[in-house]
Amino acid sequence: KAGVTQTPRYLIKTRGQQVTLSCSPISGHRSVSWYQQTPGQGLQFLFEYFSETQRNKGNFPGRFSGRQFSNSRSEMNVSTLELGDSALYLCASSLMGASYNEQFFGPGTRLTVL
Amino acid sequence: QQQVKQSPQSLIVQKGGISIINCAYENTAFDYFPWYQQFPGKGPALLIAIRPDVSEKKEGRFTISFNKSAKQFSLHIMDSQPGDSATYFCAAIGAAGAGSYQLTFGKGTKLSVIP
């Protein structure tokens, strides 16, 4: 069974630009969650999508948005990039959502904002 | 507000020794406590998890101890090996409404096991 895949793996952008990251969950998984990982703040929850609906959102500004498609693939978008958005963005998939279901993480997309 | 506090930030252990990582939480609504292991260039992977009605869970060399009254839990790695060198995250899961559950992570402990 293929794991969670994320594309691209690395991205360099400049301040003010926007970026779109993609996540393909494990086949059959309907929940996709996104996390931002930085050395200072650790892993912080961005949002969760389930059956194409955003079910939960973390404490991030509106510049961070996402969506999920009918095949459960998900994208997240960051507009008007700031230097502080430089981070590893991880997505995780699970059958129904975190709960007692294991979340499987992808390798992440490393975003650098210059 | 950091809801899950993890210590230490970094840990160096001799091969064969015991590695101990501690976490404390504040929200009594958390009802599941997983530990994740992350190697460089990889995403976190579930290592072991415990429910709050259990005081200890052991899987191979990895043991979680849970103290519900103190709102603390810890990971013990027995007979630590160089291959265990990674960053470890404790986490807590709680209901977030609308059928959603949310993982809240500690800030991580970088473990180095030296030969």
Side-chain angles (χ1 to χ4, degrees):
Chain A
K1 207 173 194 181
V4 178
T5 58
Q6 291 187 245
T7 55
R9 292 292 311 277
Y10 302 91
L11 210 46
I12 299 175
K13 292 286 187 179
T14 56
R15 278 181 298 173
Q17 287 187 309
Q18 76 164 25
V19 67
T20 299
L21 313 181
S22 180
C23 172
S24 293
I26 290 172
S27 177
H29 285 192
R30 296 168 64 189
S31 169
V32 173
S33 296
W34 288 89
Y35 297 85
Q36 181 193 65
Q37 185 175 17
T38 59
Q41 297 300 316
L43 280 149
Q44 292 188 288
F45 172 75
L46 280 156
F47 28 65
E48 183 208 3
Y49 284 87
F50 181 81
S51 293
E52 301 179 66
T53 300
Q54 186 181 88
R55 197 160 65 167
N56 190 15
K57 190 178 191 307
N59 190 24
F60 278 82
R63 299 185 297 106
F64 292 81
S65 63
R67 59 178 175 168
Q68 187 179 34
F69 301 95
S70 58
N71 61 358
S72 293
R73 190 177 70 85
S74 178
E75 289 181 345
M76 69 162 280
N77 184 278
V78 188
S79 62
T80 319
L81 284 166
E82 301 177 359
L83 294 178
D85 297 333
S86 293
L88 181 68
Y89 290 88
L90 293 158
C91 85
S93 78
S94 62
L95 278 169
M96 299 294 290
S99 183
Y100 304 128
N101 293 294
E102 180 176 352
Q103 285 202 328
F104 294 85
F105 283 81
T109 294
R110 172 74 62 185
L111 172 65
T112 302
V113 182
L114 303 176
Chain B
Q1 182 190 5
Q2 186 186 355
Q3 295 191 49
V4 179
K5 294 185 179 179
Q6 184 172 346
S7 63
Q9 266 189 307
S10 62
L11 183 60
I12 300 174
V13 172
Q14 288 269 335
K15 179 183 174 182
I18 302 173
S19 304
I20 301 174
I21 304 171
N22 300 300
C23 285
Y25 63 98
E26 298 163 6
N27 188 346
T28 55
F30 289 141
D31 63 359
Y32 198 53
F33 300 87
W35 284 87
Y36 283 82
Q37 179 189 54
Q38 184 177 28
F39 292 104
K42 305 283 187 182
L46 179 66
L47 189 62
I48 186 173
I50 196 169
R51 300 189 185 201
D53 55 347
V54 176
S55 60
E56 185 175 282
K57 183 175 181 180
K58 184 176 181 179
E59 288 184 2
R61 296 184 294 108
F62 300 90
T63 300
I64 301 178
S65 297
F66 191 87
N67 185 329
K68 188 174 181 179
S69 60
K71 293 187 283 185
Q72 295 175 346
F73 58 111
S74 60
L75 176 70
H76 290 62
I77 306 174
M78 312 300 287
D79 187 27
S80 298
Q81 299 296 313
D84 297 330
S85 297
T87 300
Y88 293 81
F89 294 92
C90 62
I93 295 177
S100 177
Y101 289 80
Q102 185 170 322
L103 267 170
T104 301
F105 286 90
K107 290 198 173 183
T109 296
K110 186 174 181 180
L111 171 65
S112 299
V113 181
I114 54 177

